Amino acid sequence: MDLLKGCIISVVLIIVYWFLWRWRNKRVLMLATQLPGPTALPILGNALMFMTKPEEQLKKIAALLEQYGDYIRFWLGPDLVIVIKDPNDIRCLLTSNKMNQKGPAYDYMTPFIGKGILTGGPKWRVYRKIANPSYNKKSIETFKDVFNEEAEALTNVLKRRDNNIFNVYFDVLQCTTRSVCRTLMGLSTDDIAELKYLDEVIHETQNIYSLIFTKMTRWWLQIPFIYWLTGNYRKQLYYQRIVDGLITEIIEKRRKSLSNEENYGVSVVDRFILNGLSETEIKLESFALFTTSQEASAKIASGVLLFLAHLPEWQTKVYEEIVQVMDDDSVSEEQIRGLENLDMVYKEVLRYLSIAALIQRTVEEDVTISNGKFTLPSGTVVAIPIHEVHRDSRFWDEPLKIKPERFHPENQKNRDPNAFIPFSLGAMDCLGRVYATTLIKTIVIRVLRHVELSAEGKLEDLDLHVAISVKFA
């Protein structure tokens, strides 16, 4: 009897809460009805629709876009989510000063990188302003020698490979990691050799991302007890421990160098130290920039090499262009700018393998879209499905095929430039876009000068793994 009474009281309280919530949010509900989208259940909203495998959730969004068009509305419990696929509205929203906070999905990354440059938060502008000089063109010019040396080392590794099939990503990841350590982290080669946790962090990086994405997309893991019971919290603590160990070592080495006035203030870690950030802030922001710089660069660089291996005619074009432009092996920024064919392949990789499959922003003030037709109320979560925009047949001829020629200047004239946003837009765009582009192209140029690439099968037949980013499965 007591159990029945408790159940009845619970149901009544839930119903009362639901009606109170609807009354308090009647304006938001009214504005939400203006947008198309699936019917929402009381309290749960459309959450049941997304109770599926993580890799299926973005497919659900793609299906909704196919059904409803460029604007769709759905509810995840009390949270209103608006997915927007129209390129012009995407540009307006991402460059608006009314949307300078990330969405709730980024909160799942905070145990590793805190509230900062990548995830948003109250001080993200401060952190970005401090880090920015390490990513500008002047700084990247000083990184040229390191990029060339590490790309040469990678080339020598690949030259020693036999003719058996192998995954080039892991060799490239070693190259990009050492490049990031020697530039953004400010370490010497001797410093790198002394890092006890570096190899372990490199090995576990994909597992860290997988843990974050799994918790992000499986609601039951967001219940602390279940997260602990399934062993995922124990994994998280282990990952946090090795990440903290690595970054602590890096910071200690930079503090020692700064006290001796060695390489004064060049690395991004130095800038965080010299600007008086707390030890926790330095660790979180340093790892955020470390992991995004080395992992994303490795994914795209290995993607370019894989594309060239599968497209021998483009490999020949790029190789001949490199030989024509370059006098020796050392790669400069001026030479990179002259390699048009390489740029086309690079951009097609960015289109096909989006660095971020979907990004979120939170509306801080009411904003209108679709020429004033719809109003997004404050507090709305806006989702930008970059992966889907990059595969929209309105802007891309045969979007599921790999065609670098689509980025030839003549073929881009009639395409909406806002349909290609690999590095996002606005104040919260990718800080490392110039850094990554220079490093990736340097790697490809140095490798292609001395290694002929080949692969079996067709690129389009390779399965894609769509999660935080898009990569081949």
Side-chain angles (χ1 to χ4, degrees):
M1 190 68 180
D2 289 341
L3 179 61
L4 178 61
K5 184 186 292 186
C7 291
I8 293 172
I9 292 172
S10 296
V11 171
V12 170
L13 288 174
I14 290 171
I15 293 172
V16 170
Y17 166 80
W18 183 62
F19 277 106
L20 280 173
W21 181 86
R22 289 186 64 86
W23 180 75
R24 289 173 180 169
N25 294 275
K26 54 188 176 183
R27 180 174 179 271
V28 173
L29 289 164
M30 182 271 293
L31 292 173
T33 59
Q34 298 175 359
L35 288 128
T39 302
L41 296 172
I43 300 173
L44 293 176
N46 304 105
L48 293 177
M49 179 185 299
F50 294 95
M51 287 184 185
T52 183
K53 294 179 180 179
E55 59 269 21
E56 295 295 322
Q57 294 187 7
L58 289 173
K59 292 181 181 178
K60 292 273 188 182
I61 291 177
L64 289 172
L65 288 166
E66 182 70 24
Q67 180 179 355
Y68 293 104
D70 286 343
Y71 311 93
I72 55 174
R73 167 265 307 144
F74 58 85
W75 293 87
L76 296 179
D79 295 327
L80 174 60
V81 181
I82 308 296
V83 181
I84 297 172
K85 193 181 171 187
D86 178 79
N88 290 317
D89 276 326
I90 288 174
R91 167 170 282 279
C92 290
L93 291 171
L94 291 179
T95 56
S96 170
N97 59 11
K98 297 179 180 180
M99 288 184 52
N100 281 331
Q101 282 299 334
K102 298 288 182 79
Y106 294 86
D107 292 342
Y108 300 101
M109 303 178 187
T110 56
F112 299 97
I113 57 177
K115 284 278 193 179
I117 293 173
L118 186 64
T119 54
K123 296 180 69 175
W124 74 265
R125 289 182 185 275
V126 174
Y127 299 144
R128 179 158 177 145
K129 185 177 181 180
I130 293 171
N132 215 36
S134 293
Y135 286 90
N136 64 27
K137 291 184 178 181
K138 184 177 179 180
S139 290
I140 291 168
E141 180 62 28
T142 68
F143 300 156
K144 180 185 71 172
D145 291 342
V146 171
F147 289 171
N148 275 280
E149 289 171 15
E150 294 301 334
E152 180 183 11
L154 170 64
T155 302
N156 291 333
V157 168
L158 298 181
K159 285 164 68 175
R160 292 193 293 269
R161 290 278 189 178
D162 55 30
N163 291 326
N164 292 324
I165 295 173
F166 68 97
N167 189 342
V168 75
Y169 168 79
F170 298 104
D171 291 326
V172 175
L173 181 60
Q174 288 287 339
C175 173
T176 58
T177 299
R178 288 181 58 84
S179 297
V180 169
C181 284
R182 293 180 62 188
T183 54
L184 298 177
M185 299 296 107
L187 303 180
S188 67
T189 54
D190 289 339
D191 288 335
I192 296 171
E194 294 171 355
L195 295 175
K196 292 183 293 185
Y197 292 97
L198 180 60
D199 288 340
E200 197 170 0
V201 170
I202 292 172
H203 178 74
E204 297 290 357
T205 294
Q206 290 300 320
N207 293 330
I208 294 172
Y209 289 173
S210 179
L211 179 69
I212 292 169
F213 186 70
T214 301
K215 186 177 182 182
M216 185 189 301
T217 53
R218 293 179 177 171
W219 65 269
W220 58 90
L221 292 179
Q222 296 163 27
I223 301 171
F225 177 71
I226 295 178
Y227 191 61
W228 172 83
L229 193 64
T230 54
N232 285 292
Y233 183 61
R234 185 167 59 251
K235 286 182 185 178
Q236 178 181 311
L237 291 179
Y238 160 64
Y239 295 147
Q240 286 178 288
R241 180 177 61 80
I242 62 173
V243 165
D244 184 77
L246 172 63
I247 295 301
T248 297
E249 286 183 295
I250 292 173
I251 294 170
E252 287 175 353
K253 290 181 181 300
R254 290 315 306 153
R255 286 193 187 279
K256 182 178 179 181
S257 292
L258 287 173
S259 66
N260 297 327
E261 296 190 355
E262 299 171 8
N263 300 322
Y264 189 84
V266 172
S267 81
V268 71
V269 180
D270 298 349
R271 298 184 194 280
F272 290 145
I273 293 171
L274 294 171
N275 278 274
L277 299 190
S278 71
E279 193 72 7
T280 299
E281 288 175 309
I282 296 170
K283 286 181 179 181
L284 293 171
E285 293 308 308
S286 295
F287 184 67
L289 298 180
F290 169 84
T291 188
T292 52
S293 298
Q294 49 96 227
E295 196 279 334
S297 296
K299 190 197 79 168
I300 297 302
S302 57
V304 175
L305 295 175
L306 183 64
F307 275 36
L308 291 171
H310 278 277
L311 303 171
E313 71 282 8
W314 277 94
Q315 185 175 169
T316 300
K317 286 181 182 180
V318 174
Y319 173 77
E320 290 177 350
E321 189 177 55
I322 290 170
V323 171
Q324 183 178 359
V325 169
M326 296 183 59
D327 298 324
D328 55 29
D329 276 350
S330 184
V331 180
S332 68
E333 180 61 33
E334 183 179 354
Q335 291 167 332
I336 288 174
R337 286 196 297 270
L339 299 174
E340 186 178 84
N341 289 318
L342 173 58
D343 191 59
M344 285 189 273
V345 177
Y346 173 64
K347 287 178 177 177
E348 181 67 346
V349 173
L350 292 175
R351 184 195 71 86
Y352 199 81
L353 302 173
S354 301
I355 296 171
L358 181 145
I359 61 175
Q360 285 186 348
R361 296 291 186 269
T362 298
V363 179
E364 297 177 280
E365 296 179 38
D366 289 7
V367 62
T368 60
I369 57 173
S370 189
N371 296 317
K373 183 178 178 181
F374 305 123
T375 297
L376 307 183
S378 175
T380 301
V381 176
V382 172
I384 310 294
I386 293 177
H387 180 61
E388 294 303 318
V389 175
H390 286 178
R391 287 165 174 254
D392 192 320
S393 59
R394 294 174 298 176
F395 314 113
W396 308 98
D397 175 47
E398 297 182 297
L400 301 184
K401 289 190 176 182
I402 293 168
K403 301 168 65 175
E405 63 270 22
R406 69 174 85 248
F407 286 100
H408 189 281
E410 286 298 316
N411 296 333
Q412 295 186 80
K413 285 183 177 179
N414 298 321
R415 184 189 307 134
D416 189 333
N418 300 317
F420 184 57
I421 48 172
F423 299 111
S424 187
L425 295 167
M428 303 187 88
D429 68 352
C430 177
L431 176 62
R433 60 195 181 281
V434 178
Y435 178 96
T437 298
T438 306
L439 173 57
I440 291 164
K441 289 186 176 181
T442 300
I443 289 171
V444 174
I445 293 166
R446 295 296 296 251
V447 168
L448 217 58
R449 289 269 296 195
H450 300 283
V451 179
E452 184 177 354
L453 307 169
S454 62
E456 293 183 351
K458 291 180 62 178
L459 268 175
E460 289 88 353
D461 292 338
L462 296 176
D463 291 332
L464 289 180
H465 176 71
V466 183
I468 292 175
S469 62
V470 182
K471 63 180 180 179
F472 288 115

